Amino acid sequence: MNHNSSSSNCYMEKQLFQTEKISHFFHWLSKKVELTSEFKKNIDNISTYRCFEKGEKILETGQALNHMYFVLTGCARSYHIDNKGKEHTMRFALKDWWICDYKSIRNNERASMSTEGLCHTEVLEFNINDIEELYRKYPQLESSVRKSLELHIIRLYDRILNQLELTAKKRYQKFLLEYPEVDQLANNYHIASYLGITQQSLSRLRSKKIL
């Protein structure tokens, strides 16, 4: 991939579509909070449109954390690399989801995992300090983001229970129902590590077309 070319393309998109892209965020947010002109202007002032191609890093393990991201289009994968160099997929982030290493921010640590685009992925980037300031000014925004975090915790809880209670086949069936687009974008090892099964088991399940 020519990263210089992709960076140039992304810069042009940023200039041309910033207003259009943040309009989508406003539409999403308007379902949760009342938006005034001042509120929208403040959000516009602290947001930055960015895009990432397949395999490009949005966050990287070890980097200082000062941003969170709202997914406008595409799909991203967050993963951790253990001491043996093995990747473990922690989550997938789809349209209208937030990307943030909450654990590291809460503990004031550097990023504990990396996040990459699984395809052309567009996001709004927010500085953590800026959005914290908006939380104080607009408590309803904090409530909205908190509810999104609660949904993330519920998904994590369900995933843990699924790995404890369900067979590999049942886990993959639930995955297909919840993330049908991810199954088309992610590699075998991405999904296998997320489900807690081997790549060989996943290949067998995929070949059977169980849904």
Side-chain angles (χ1 to χ4, degrees), residues 2 5 7 46 65 82 147 152 154 181 191 199 210-211:
N2 187 328
S5 176
S7 297
I46 67 166
L65 282 174
D82 65 22
K147 288 177 181 178
H152 167 62
I154 290 169
E181 55 270 79
I191 299 173
Q199 292 186 56
I210 60 177
L211 281 186

Side-chain angles (χ1 to χ4, degrees), residues 61-115:
T61 301
Q63 78 175 62
L65 282 174
N66 49 19
H67 292 96
M68 60 191 299
Y69 305 85
F70 179 83
V71 181
L72 297 167
T73 65
C75 178
R77 176 182 78 104
S78 296
Y79 61 95
H80 173 74
I81 301 177
D82 65 22
N83 294 331
K84 297 180 180 179
K86 183 178 179 180
E87 285 187 11
H88 301 271
T89 299
M90 307 301 293
R91 66 173 300 206
F92 297 100
L94 303 169
K95 180 180 178 181
D96 296 343
W97 290 21
W98 289 92
I99 298 172
C100 186
D101 189 339
Y102 295 104
K103 171 182 175 293
S104 297
I105 288 176
R106 175 65 179 80
N107 295 332
N108 195 28
E109 300 171 344
R110 291 183 175 270
S112 61
M113 56 185 174
S114 296
T115 300

Side-chain angles (χ1 to χ4, degrees), residues 2 8 12-13 19 21 33-34 36-37 39 49 52 55 67-68 82-84 86 100 108 110 112 126 157 185 203:
N2 187 328
S8 176
M12 291 174 63
E13 287 184 19
T19 301
K21 301 305 179 181
V33 302
E34 182 179 352
T36 64
S37 296
F39 191 178
Y49 168 76
F52 300 86
H67 292 96
M68 60 191 299
D82 65 22
N83 294 331
K84 297 180 180 179
K86 183 178 179 180
C100 186
N108 195 28
R110 291 183 175 270
S112 61
F126 295 89
Y157 179 76
L185 295 171
S203 294

Side-chain angles (χ1 to χ4, degrees), residues 20 32 41 91 144 157 181:
E20 174 190 339
K32 306 171 186 304
K41 182 179 179 181
R91 66 173 300 206
S144 173
Y157 179 76
E181 55 270 79

Side-chain angles (χ1 to χ4, degrees), residues 4-66:
N4 288 333
S5 176
S6 66
S7 297
S8 176
N9 290 338
C10 285
Y11 178 78
M12 291 174 63
E13 287 184 19
K14 176 182 175 181
Q15 299 301 309
L16 293 171
F17 303 125
Q18 173 79 18
T19 301
E20 174 190 339
K21 301 305 179 181
I22 200 167
S23 292
H24 172 78
F25 179 68
F26 288 152
H27 177 72
W28 173 84
L29 194 58
S30 68
K31 299 175 183 178
K32 306 171 186 304
V33 302
E34 182 179 352
L35 294 179
T36 64
S37 296
E38 181 187 23
F39 191 178
K40 292 167 70 173
K41 182 179 179 181
N42 284 324
I43 291 176
D44 194 14
N45 287 340
I46 67 166
S47 66
T48 302
Y49 168 76
R50 298 189 63 190
C51 66
F52 300 86
E53 300 304 328
K54 180 177 180 179
E56 283 192 279
K57 295 284 177 54
I58 300 172
L59 292 170
E60 189 158 12
T61 301
Q63 78 175 62
L65 282 174
N66 49 19

